Amino acid sequence: MTVPTSTAAGLDPAQIRADFPILAEQVHERPLVYLDNAATSQKPRAVIDALHTYYETYNANIHRGLHALSERATAEYEAARSHVASFINAAHPHEVIFTRGTTEAINLVARGWGDENVSEGDEILLTEMEHHSNLVPWQMLARRRGAQLRYIPMDDEGRIDLEAYARMFGPRTRLVAVTHMSNVLGTITPAAQIVRIAHAHNVPVLLDAAQSIPHLPVDVQALDADFMAFSGHKMLGPTGIGVLYGRESLLDAMEPLFGGGSMIRVVELHQSSWTGLPDRLEGGTPNIAGAIGLGAAVNYLQTVGMPSLTDHEHELTVYALDLLSDIDGIRLFGPPDAHERGGVISFYVGDVHPHDVGTLLDADGIAVRAGHHCAQPLMRKLGVPATVRASLYLYNTHAEVDCLAEGVARAKAFFA
């Protein structure tokens, strides 16, 4: 692996790109311009090599084996947990629970914490910009328990109304569950303020950090978050691995979602008792390779430096917003101030359906996302059936943003 570096002028995209084999590919005989990072990121050689090394040299199940391969696999798996804990500044590695992804992590809280703490008539506060993964589990919990969902107001550009939010708390408010960064609008929500207001009412907060963790320095202790969920595949890691961070006292009180191997202390014919964290919430054989790959991804991001990565994406976002806003008839969604958003840019082009724009961009080798982005309530609020979404990451360049703007202009002209 070429070791990624940051300079006084920021990270070097050319050197970064050399670490990602797929970026040398062509699509429809054109160089790949990959701008679908909010859906999934590409993988550096360091992550690919970590997966190969595990399967080729020390593939074994973990924790219970006494042989050398099992001991090494266990050590690497737990080292990955420690790497993730350090990356988000968790107080303890056992506050990091490996899951299949953000969706499973949120469902784990909805079942393990929600079923024990939410009763008929209780309230859960959400926003209308939530991904379905941070909406549907709470709908299911509300249906099971007879609870109600209430929605924090936001303005037309996707900013949360903090004053209105502060007035929503009552004696039946049990949980706040909000995105840390919108996967559609790019809005970076004021998480620290959201948590502080909730804690003033003794209400815990879950942050959906699937979009923020890959792109921003995140310190769970500074945020004082109670729960945080994110996915490995959006932060250079493999698919099928994610994380639930939880405050130790809350995780300890949760009922396991999965019963089986690893999560038990004693099993008898008619009853069982659970072991401690983190094993009690990781029943069954885990995604060992995925966790090891995620550990390698975290190491890569730390070597790059999250502040440098964030600065690079911010510069690209400003550049992209400026170029796209010059296209006649384009409608950009989300806060106009790039300091209030990440590198997620959703837009609608004249009267052209987003799927048509996405198809024409693909013909030029430009990968974007077109659809409702698992945020149908937000689409209805925006008054559109779907949007085109371009999303940036550390390996994207100004030249690729130029390609995007030129491609969007051509698509608009094609359908004129």
Side-chain angles (χ1 to χ4, degrees):
M1 179 190 87
T2 302
V3 178
T5 61
S6 299
T7 68
L11 59 80
D12 180 357
Q15 184 173 350
I16 294 289
R17 291 175 67 83
D19 289 339
F20 290 80
I22 199 171
L23 298 182
E25 292 293 314
Q26 291 201 335
V27 175
H28 305 308
E29 300 182 350
R30 294 174 181 264
L32 170 64
V33 176
Y34 188 79
L35 300 173
D36 194 20
N37 296 288
T40 196
S41 66
Q42 298 303 337
K43 319 306 174 191
R45 176 64 67 186
V47 171
I48 297 168
D49 287 347
L51 295 172
H52 285 173
T53 299
Y54 166 71
Y55 281 122
E56 290 179 353
T57 66
Y58 64 100
N59 174 51
N61 213 331
I62 58 172
H63 291 153
R64 293 175 300 280
L66 298 177
H67 56 84
L69 295 187
S70 179
E71 289 177 350
R72 182 179 175 190
T74 298
E76 296 289 345
Y77 180 82
E78 293 302 335
R81 191 190 311 277
S82 294
H83 294 327
V84 173
S86 174
F87 187 65
I88 62 175
N89 194 33
H92 310 286
H94 57 252
E95 292 180 322
V96 169
I97 307 300
F98 285 129
T99 66
R100 288 184 300 165
T102 305
T103 299
E104 183 176 290
I106 295 172
N107 276 273
L108 178 55
V109 177
R111 280 286 185 178
W113 183 90
D115 283 354
E116 296 295 318
N117 292 277
V118 176
S119 302
E120 185 173 358
D122 287 345
E123 297 174 348
I124 300 168
L125 305 186
L126 309 165
T127 76
E128 291 179 271
M129 70 177 95
E130 300 307 320
H131 188 283
H132 296 164
S133 292
N134 197 37
L135 177 58
V136 175
W138 308 117
Q139 292 175 342
M140 296 168 70
L141 172 62
R143 188 163 61 245
R144 288 195 306 273
R145 306 299 294 165
Q148 298 180 3
L149 305 182
R150 298 183 64 200
Y151 291 89
I152 305 164
M154 64 182 193
D155 65 20
D156 291 339
E157 293 172 338
R159 303 183 191 89
I160 287 177
D161 185 336
L162 285 174
E163 292 184 359
Y165 164 66
R167 294 192 296 268
M168 294 177 70
F169 287 84
R172 305 306 300 270
T173 308
R174 291 291 174 265
L175 180 72
V176 176
V178 297
T179 183
H180 194 195
M181 182 192 294
S182 169
N183 74 309
V184 175
L185 304 174
T187 304
I188 301 172
T189 58
Q193 293 168 277
I194 290 169
V195 172
R196 186 161 54 248
I197 292 169
H199 285 181
H201 298 274
N202 296 314
V203 174
V205 177
L206 178 143
L207 295 176
D208 174 357
Q211 296 297 334
S212 61
I213 288 282
H215 305 282
L216 304 173
V218 174
D219 183 329
V220 293
Q221 292 190 73
L223 289 173
D224 204 18
D226 300 287
F227 297 108
M228 182 177 284
F230 54 97
S231 296
H233 71 95
K234 297 180 190 291
M235 54 187 294
L236 310 184
T239 55
I241 189 70
V243 169
L244 171 65
Y245 160 80
R247 198 183 300 277
E248 180 179 21
S249 59
L250 294 173
L251 294 176
D252 261 333
M254 283 173 52
E255 279 296 300
L257 180 59
F258 302 110
S262 299
M263 49 76 65
I264 52 84
R265 176 172 286 112
V266 176
V267 175
E268 299 177 357
L269 288 178
H270 297 288
Q271 62 183 6
S272 300
S273 59
W274 317 142
T275 191
L277 295 173
D279 296 342
R280 69 193 303 273
L281 298 178
E282 293 183 5
T285 299
N287 184 353
I288 303 166
I292 292 168
L294 176 56
V298 165
N299 287 342
Y300 187 93
L301 289 171
Q302 288 178 314
T303 303
V304 170
M306 291 304 294
S308 295
L309 184 157
T310 301
D311 288 346
H312 173 69
E313 288 185 21
H314 174 74
E315 182 184 344
L316 284 181
T317 301
V318 171
Y319 185 66
L321 289 172
D322 285 346
L323 284 185
L324 291 171
S325 64
D326 287 339
I327 299 173
D328 186 50
I330 198 168
R331 181 182 175 192
L332 293 165
F333 300 99
D337 185 348
H339 288 95
E340 298 179 280
R341 62 188 299 157
V344 175
I345 303 171
S346 290
F347 55 91
Y348 208 94
V349 185
D351 296 323
V352 186
H353 195 282
H355 291 169
D356 294 327
V357 176
T359 299
L360 288 180
L361 290 175
D362 176 64
D364 288 334
I366 303 169
V368 297
R369 180 76 34 154
H372 56 66
H373 315 298
C374 292
Q376 290 181 341
L378 178 56
M379 293 296 115
R380 285 189 283 273
K381 185 175 182 67
L382 298 176
V384 294
T387 70
V388 182
R389 184 186 70 190
S391 46
L392 306 166
Y393 210 5
L394 73 167
Y395 38 66
N396 291 127
T397 66
H398 289 79
E400 290 182 316
V401 175
D402 290 337
C403 290
L404 171 68
E406 293 163 4
V408 171
R410 282 196 298 271
K412 184 177 184 299
F414 182 86
F415 287 101

